[in-house]
Structures are given as C-alpha cells and as structure tokens.
Amino acid sequence: MVTGPSALDVLDSQLTADDSASYTKGLAALEQSLDSYWKFEVVPNQFKQSLAATDDLRFQYLDEHFGVIGSWDEVVDNLKTLNANAGANERYKILFLARHGQGYHNLAHAKYGNSAWNEYWLKKNGDGTIVWGPDPLLTDLGISQAQENRAQWKIEVLNNTARDPSLIVPKKWFVSPLSRSIDTLINTWDGVVDLQEVQPLIQENVRETIGVHTCDKRSPRSVIAQKYEKLGFRIEPGFEENDIYYKDDYRETVAEHALRINRNLQEIFTTTPEDIVSITSHSGSIRAQLLVLGHRSFAVGTGGMVPVFVKATKVGNA
C-alpha cells in the first residue's frame, strides 16, 4: 500500500543551503543568456502540501483527497478564472507530481541501509537475489501502490466534483524514461483514462538524478519503444538509442538536476496549453521540481503524489 515517507525518503527530500545557493547562481547565469523565460511560484492555499503547518511525515494524501483545500470545484474554478483573466505573460497550471512505486532498488537500499548502499551496493546491478540495475522494475508492492492511487482517483472523479467529473483529471501526461516510472503511470491511470488516447510523453529531462547509481541508468530507446509504444506512449524527439547521459564516475548535483528540471518545466509551460498536468518521476526529480517551483520541501514515499498549483510569469519579450 502507499505508505508515508521512510527515513530514506526524508533524506532524499532534503536540500542543503549549498544546494539552494548553487541552483540560484546557476539559474541566474542561465536566465542572463535567454531572451525570455518563465518564473515560477506557488499559488497559496490550494493544496495542503504547500502549507508550512502540514507535517509531511504524517500527511496521508489518499485520506485527504490528494490534499485539496476546499472542494475540487473551487480549486478548478480558481484555475480557470485565473487563466481567463491572465495577461499574455502569465500561465496557471496544476501539476500532479507523482513518484514511482517501490522498485527493487528501493527494496535493496532498505535491506542494506544507507551507509552500505552508498559505499558499495549502489554501483552494483544486484546481489544474486535482487536485481536493481540498470533500470529496475517495480516490486509487487510498487505495483499495488500505483493501483491504490488509481482506486483513489476513481473515487475523486466520481464523488468529489459537483459538475463535470473529468474536470480534475489531468489533460497531459509526462513521464521519466525509467521503467519504474512508466509502469507506475500505467498502473495509476489505465482505466481512469485511455492511455492510447492521451499518449503520455516519455522525456529524458524528467528522469532521476543521473550517474553512478546503476538503478538510474535507463534502457535503450528500442527497448522502451518495444515495451511501451504499443500501449500509447510516445517518446520525445531526439531521444538517443543509448543512455548518453549516464556516467559511472560522476553523479549530477542537486543544482544540476534542478536546472535540468527547470528546462523541462520551461518547455511544458511554453508548449503545453493544458492546465492540469501529470508528471511521473522520482524522489530526486520531485525534490528538484519543488525547488524550481518555489514550493516547500516535501518528503514523498514510494507511490506518493504532490499536487502543486503553479503561477508562471514570462520575463522578457520573446
């Protein structure tokens, strides 16, 4: 079942002062090189996860209608009204940031503990019993966590909108190319929407922190295409056959990951007219997304989800 964040999940969600400062410095340099860009901020008092008073270690989002404050109708009306009255340089979206369910690498990490994992096991592909690299699959628990989200989405759609139930369902889906995220999306959304119709887009920039950890090396493009295109998934243009970004001897910093996530969100807000969006990824990716969006840090357990109501303001003239 979907559980609260573990001690390891809490560790993965944390930002140091250096992480934030490095990202801010890198972002300033990037913005100076651009003719225009989106600045992101969180619209307050829409979801409980954004409130400072919400304890992320105890918060049970499935029992709290995913954290919505008030009714879904009120939040969606607010979204529609803000977009209808927005200037040419403003966009509002609700982003459902989902973490994949438990993968075999999560199981192994918990089995060996943080010290042994970081010192030895994360560079291996397995231990003779558990296989976690490259590109590990979901465990049975991970599959059930995603399916529990699906069951709750069906409840929300049926029972928590007074008018059109489909109003709260995302209209666009993005997903990491790692199998555990794609399989989580399938087990969450298949049956709520028609995946062949909505055609989730697989994107490199949504993936987990890259490098060193064998679990974060993706499968070849041909393997991903063979497994998932027949189910309705599309792969973004320019997606290389082999994982050209993964390195055995270098792992992205939090700031580098956040800058990559910023590029992804810039693209989404520029090219995606839909105002409710689902992004299925990883704990590190969600940490980076929350940093980029100006949201408080929030620990997310495997299979967890954080909705964020975002205002984006275009800076520049292009």
Side-chain angles (χ1 to χ4, degrees), residues 22-34 37 39 259:
S22 294
Y23 170 67
T24 299
K25 181 178 179 181
L27 182 61
L30 175 64
E31 290 174 346
Q32 285 182 348
S33 70
L34 300 173
Y37 52 87
K39 283 279 194 184
L259 288 169

Side-chain angles (χ1 to χ4, degrees), residues 104-110 112-124 132 213-215:
Y104 281 100
H105 63 304
N106 302 123
L107 185 64
H109 195 169
Y112 289 108
N114 203 46
S115 294
W117 178 257
N118 288 329
E119 291 171 7
Y120 181 77
W121 288 108
L122 62 77
K123 294 184 178 181
K124 304 297 181 181
W132 59 76
H213 298 213
T214 62
C215 59

Side-chain angles (χ1 to χ4, degrees), residues 247-266:
K247 295 179 174 61
D248 289 324
D249 60 353
Y250 183 77
R251 186 161 177 83
E252 277 183 312
T253 66
V254 171
E256 289 168 338
H257 192 181
L259 288 169
R260 171 161 62 84
I261 290 293
N262 185 288
R263 291 194 296 273
N264 176 252
L265 291 171
Q266 295 286 335

Side-chain angles (χ1 to χ4, degrees), residues 191-211:
V192 179
V193 297
D194 183 345
L195 295 180
Q196 293 282 356
E197 180 179 329
V198 302
Q199 297 186 321
L201 183 64
I202 297 169
Q203 293 185 304
E204 286 276 30
N205 275 339
V206 184
R207 63 190 285 185
E208 183 59 289
T209 313
I210 301 172

Side-chain angles (χ1 to χ4, degrees), residues 261-317:
I261 290 293
N262 185 288
R263 291 194 296 273
N264 176 252
L265 291 171
Q266 295 286 335
E267 179 183 357
I268 288 173
F269 274 82
T270 298
T271 64
T272 303
E274 291 83 359
D275 55 10
I276 303 182
V277 174
S278 168
I279 307 175
T280 306
S281 62
H282 309 263
S283 60
S285 299
I286 292 175
R287 173 179 59 188
Q289 287 162 341
L290 297 181
L291 172 60
V292 170
L293 295 171
H295 193 283
R296 57 164 289 196
S297 295
F298 203 93
V300 183
T302 52
M305 185 180 296
V306 179
V308 185
F309 198 126
V310 181
K311 176 184 179 181
T313 304
K314 176 67 74 69
V315 177
N317 297 318

